[in-house]
Amino acid sequence: STQSTWAHEALSQDTHQRTRKMSDTQAYDLKTKAACPQKSSYKVQVEAGKTYYWCSCGYSKNQPFCDGSHAAINKEQGTTFAPKPYTASETKEASFCGCKQSKNPPMCDGSHRNL
Protein backbone atom coordinates (compact mmCIF):
# COMPACT_ATOMS: atom_id res chain seq x y z
CA SER A 1 0.00 0.00 0.00
CA THR A 2 1.01 3.63 -0.47
CA GLN A 3 0.94 4.28 3.28
CA SER A 4 3.26 1.37 4.10
CA THR A 5 5.66 2.43 1.29
CA TRP A 6 5.72 5.97 2.71
CA ALA A 7 6.36 4.64 6.24
CA HIS A 8 9.21 2.42 4.97
CA GLU A 9 10.82 5.36 3.13
CA ALA A 10 10.52 7.59 6.22
CA LEU A 11 12.09 4.89 8.40
CA SER A 12 14.90 4.39 5.87
CA GLN A 13 15.60 8.15 5.79
CA ASP A 14 15.65 8.36 9.60
CA THR A 15 18.01 5.38 9.82
CA HIS A 16 20.28 6.86 7.16
CA GLN A 17 20.42 10.22 8.94
CA ARG A 18 21.31 8.59 12.27
CA THR A 19 24.02 6.34 10.81
CA ARG A 20 25.51 9.22 8.79
CA LYS A 21 26.30 11.07 12.02
CA MET A 22 28.39 8.17 13.40
CA SER A 23 31.99 7.42 12.55
CA ASP A 24 32.79 4.07 10.92
CA THR A 25 34.45 2.79 14.08
CA GLN A 26 31.47 3.73 16.26
CA ALA A 27 28.55 2.78 14.05
CA TYR A 28 26.75 -0.51 14.01
CA ASP A 29 23.94 -1.11 11.60
CA LEU A 30 20.78 0.57 12.93
CA LYS A 31 18.81 -0.88 10.00
CA THR A 32 19.07 -4.29 11.65
CA LYS A 33 16.85 -5.74 14.33
CA ALA A 34 19.09 -5.30 17.36
CA ALA A 35 17.18 -6.17 20.50
CA CYS A 36 16.99 -3.67 23.35
CA PRO A 37 17.57 -5.77 26.48
CA GLN A 38 17.14 -2.76 28.77
CA LYS A 39 16.70 1.01 28.52
CA SER A 40 19.58 1.78 30.87
CA SER A 41 23.24 0.95 31.22
CA TYR A 42 24.78 -2.17 32.70
CA LYS A 43 27.12 -1.23 35.54
CA VAL A 44 30.00 -3.71 35.56
CA GLN A 45 33.19 -3.85 37.62
CA VAL A 46 36.03 -4.22 35.08
CA GLU A 47 39.67 -5.10 35.67
CA ALA A 48 42.59 -3.14 34.17
CA GLY A 49 44.08 -4.92 31.14
CA LYS A 50 41.20 -7.40 30.77
CA THR A 51 39.25 -7.50 27.49
CA TYR A 52 35.47 -7.79 27.53
CA TYR A 53 33.29 -8.57 24.51
CA TRP A 54 30.13 -6.45 24.41
CA CYS A 55 27.01 -7.88 22.75
CA SER A 56 25.94 -5.69 19.81
CA CYS A 57 22.90 -7.73 18.73
CA GLY A 58 21.04 -7.56 22.04
CA TYR A 59 20.12 -11.25 22.04
CA SER A 60 22.83 -12.55 24.38
CA LYS A 61 21.59 -14.23 27.56
CA ASN A 62 24.77 -12.92 29.24
CA GLN A 63 24.15 -9.15 28.86
CA PRO A 64 25.96 -6.91 28.37
CA PHE A 65 28.46 -9.44 27.05
CA CYS A 66 28.43 -11.69 24.01
CA ASP A 67 27.41 -15.35 24.30
CA GLY A 68 27.56 -16.08 20.54
CA SER A 69 23.82 -15.50 19.92
CA HIS A 70 24.68 -13.14 17.03
CA ALA A 71 25.68 -16.11 14.85
CA ALA A 72 22.10 -17.42 14.68
CA ILE A 73 20.68 -13.89 14.35
CA ASN A 74 23.07 -13.10 11.48
CA LYS A 75 22.12 -16.31 9.68
CA GLU A 76 18.39 -15.75 10.23
CA GLN A 77 18.27 -12.02 9.45
CA GLY A 78 21.23 -11.62 7.10
CA THR A 79 22.85 -9.18 9.53
CA THR A 80 26.52 -8.79 10.44
CA PHE A 81 26.45 -8.42 14.21
CA ALA A 82 29.74 -9.08 15.99
CA PRO A 83 30.91 -8.55 19.56
CA LYS A 84 32.75 -5.31 20.23
CA PRO A 85 35.93 -5.74 22.28
CA TYR A 86 36.58 -3.38 25.18
CA THR A 87 39.88 -3.47 27.06
CA ALA A 88 39.70 -1.78 30.45
CA SER A 89 42.40 0.83 30.95
CA GLU A 90 41.83 0.77 34.71
CA THR A 91 39.95 -1.20 37.34
CA LYS A 92 36.64 0.62 37.81
CA GLU A 93 32.88 0.43 37.41
CA ALA A 94 32.04 0.79 33.71
CA SER A 95 28.65 1.62 32.18
CA PHE A 96 28.01 -0.61 29.17
CA CYS A 97 25.18 0.26 26.77
CA GLY A 98 22.01 -1.75 27.39
CA CYS A 99 19.80 -0.40 24.58
CA LYS A 100 22.30 -1.13 21.76
CA GLN A 101 21.82 2.36 20.27
CA SER A 102 24.84 4.14 21.79
CA LYS A 103 26.88 6.28 19.40
CA ASN A 104 29.92 5.31 21.46
CA PRO A 105 29.61 1.52 21.76
CA PRO A 106 30.21 -0.38 23.93
CA MET A 107 29.78 2.41 26.48
CA CYS A 108 26.45 3.99 27.41
CA ASP A 109 25.99 7.52 26.07
CA GLY A 110 22.41 8.05 27.27
CA SER A 111 20.79 7.15 23.92
CA HIS A 112 18.25 5.03 25.82
CA ARG A 113 16.61 8.27 27.00
CA ASN A 114 15.43 8.88 23.41
CA LEU A 115 13.77 5.49 22.94
Side-chain angles (χ1 to χ4, degrees):
S1 78
T2 305
Q3 188 174 12
S4 66
T5 301
W6 176 83
H8 181 265
E9 288 174 6
L11 179 62
S12 295
Q13 277 185 331
D14 178 58
T15 301
H16 177 69
Q17 287 172 352
R18 286 191 291 163
T19 54
R20 214 177 50 207
K21 293 177 187 174
M22 296 181 194
S23 73
D24 289 341
T25 56
Q26 292 177 327
Y28 48 89
D29 193 355
L30 293 176
K31 292 180 280 186
T32 62
K33 296 181 177 88
C36 176
Q38 72 179 32
K39 291 183 180 179
S40 61
S41 65
Y42 289 96
K43 307 280 192 222
V44 178
Q45 189 67 29
V46 296
E47 293 178 40
K50 185 173 178 184
T51 300
Y52 300 84
Y53 294 88
W54 177 75
C55 166
S56 66
C57 73
Y59 291 92
S60 172
K61 304 277 189 270
N62 188 34
Q63 291 295 331
F65 303 116
C66 179
D67 69 358
S69 293
H70 63 277
I73 299 301
N74 287 343
K75 187 174 183 177
E76 181 182 303
Q77 298 180 5
T79 53
T80 57
F81 288 114
K84 178 147 180 80
Y86 167 79
T87 302
S89 58
E90 60 183 308
T91 298
K92 65 177 184 175
E93 183 179 79
S95 295
F96 288 91
C97 175
C99 71
K100 309 306 176 188
Q101 299 300 307
S102 174
K103 291 169 187 63
N104 186 33
M107 308 320 294
C108 176
D109 69 354
S111 291
H112 58 271
R113 293 185 201 112
N114 299 321
L115 299 178

